[in-house]
Amino acid sequence: QSALTQPRSVSASPGQSVTIACTGTSSDVGAYNYVSWYQQYPGKAPKLMIYDVSKRPSGVPDRFSGSKSGNTASLTISGLQAEDEADYYCCSYAGSYTVVFGGGTELTVL
Amino acid sequence: QVQLQESGPGLVRPSQTLSLTCTVSGGSISSGNHYWTWIRQPAGKGLEYIGRIHDSGSTNYNSSLKSRVAISVDTSKNQFSLTLSSVTAADTAVYFCVRAAAGPISNWFDPWGQGSLVTVSS
């Protein structure tokens, strides 16, 4: 499977909203409502932020939200805070009990 | 809560076999119908799914690595392990062990181990 496509970087100012897109195909993102998102700080393990397209695990602020349209999933962070500066990865079920990740997006809080 | 910890050699010679073990604490590897997975990340790059195992021994692998990878489980030790044969420099990465979502799909991953850097070099 090919990696999902994410912008290499995005940036926004504190308090603003930012959306990170994750584009796949009709065999992964478009086929299943099984998209998840991970936040990763440098040198740390990823942390689950969104699963099943739009569900938030306990403890994740409601500033984080997920959605999907066709072959593209999106992560939106509203009320941006300095602590949100990190790398974000999307992931989609791709059938045959395997998943595919995006290449990652570096979020800069200006 | 469940915690995972990787262990194993940090340096592997080219053409040799990489072996890592993940120890699960705070819960049984046999409870909750979870799959247990390995995911890797080369320096400065994205995440790559390697494969998964259920406590029953059922496995699934990334097709791009399938010919070289094996994941096993030892329920008595609450551990699961990864072996990757015929390694090259391209296998140099941080290797994470992770619990996958309960159920057959394993479409999300939480929690993650801290990661173990494996360098392939002579």
Side-chain angles (χ1 to χ4, degrees):
Chain A
Q1 309 89 343
S2 299
L4 305 176
T5 300
Q6 298 181 233
R8 184 172 293 271
S9 63
V10 296
S11 61
S13 299
Q16 291 186 328
S17 293
V18 66
T19 297
I20 300 172
C22 169
T23 301
T25 69
S26 57
S27 297
D28 38 62
V29 175
Y32 309 97
N33 288 323
Y34 293 140
V35 176
S36 53
W37 290 89
Y38 302 85
Q39 176 191 63
Q40 185 180 34
Y41 294 113
K44 300 296 185 181
K47 174 188 175 184
L48 177 67
M49 305 299 286
I50 295 288
Y51 68 99
D52 292 354
V53 176
S54 60
K55 298 177 181 177
R56 274 189 314 276
S58 173
V60 173
D62 60 6
R63 302 185 294 104
F64 291 82
S65 63
S67 62
K68 191 190 85 167
S69 177
N71 296 338
T72 299
S74 298
L75 173 70
T76 298
I77 310 171
S78 58
L80 206 58
Q81 300 181 2
E83 67 200 50
D84 299 331
E85 184 164 294
D87 293 330
Y88 292 85
Y89 292 90
C90 62
C91 175
S92 175
Y93 182 67
S96 300
Y97 305 112
T98 190
V99 299
V100 59
F101 286 93
T105 297
E106 179 182 20
L107 169 62
T108 300
V109 180
L110 301 171
Chain B
Q1 71 275 23
V2 172
Q3 293 182 308
L4 296 89
Q5 176 68 59
E6 306 87 353
S7 60
L11 179 65
V12 181
R13 304 302 183 191
S15 80
Q16 299 300 303
T17 296
L18 176 160
S19 296
L20 292 171
T21 295
C22 182
T23 301
V24 179
S25 59
S28 171
I29 204 169
S30 300
S31 68
N33 197 30
H34 291 278
Y35 276 81
W36 303 88
T37 70
W38 288 96
I39 294 169
R40 70 180 182 178
Q41 184 175 35
K45 296 187 178 181
L47 301 163
E48 181 180 30
Y49 177 78
I50 299 172
R52 68 173 191 171
I53 190 165
H54 189 264
D55 66 279
S56 65
S58 173
T59 56
N60 300 97
Y61 302 121
N62 183 329
S63 58
S64 67
L65 297 169
K66 191 173 184 177
S67 63
R68 298 193 293 130
V69 69
I71 299 175
S72 59
V73 64
D74 186 336
T75 55
S76 68
K77 295 182 178 179
N78 228 30
Q79 295 176 333
F80 63 106
S81 298
L82 168 72
T83 61
L84 183 65
S85 62
S86 304
V87 298
T88 69
D91 295 310
T92 295
V94 174
Y95 286 74
F96 296 99
C97 61
V98 198
R99 187 183 69 175
I105 298 297
S106 298
N107 56 295
W108 50 263
F109 306 99
D110 180 71
W112 296 58
Q114 65 182 28
S116 178
L117 173 62
V118 178
T119 301
V120 178
S121 175
S122 56

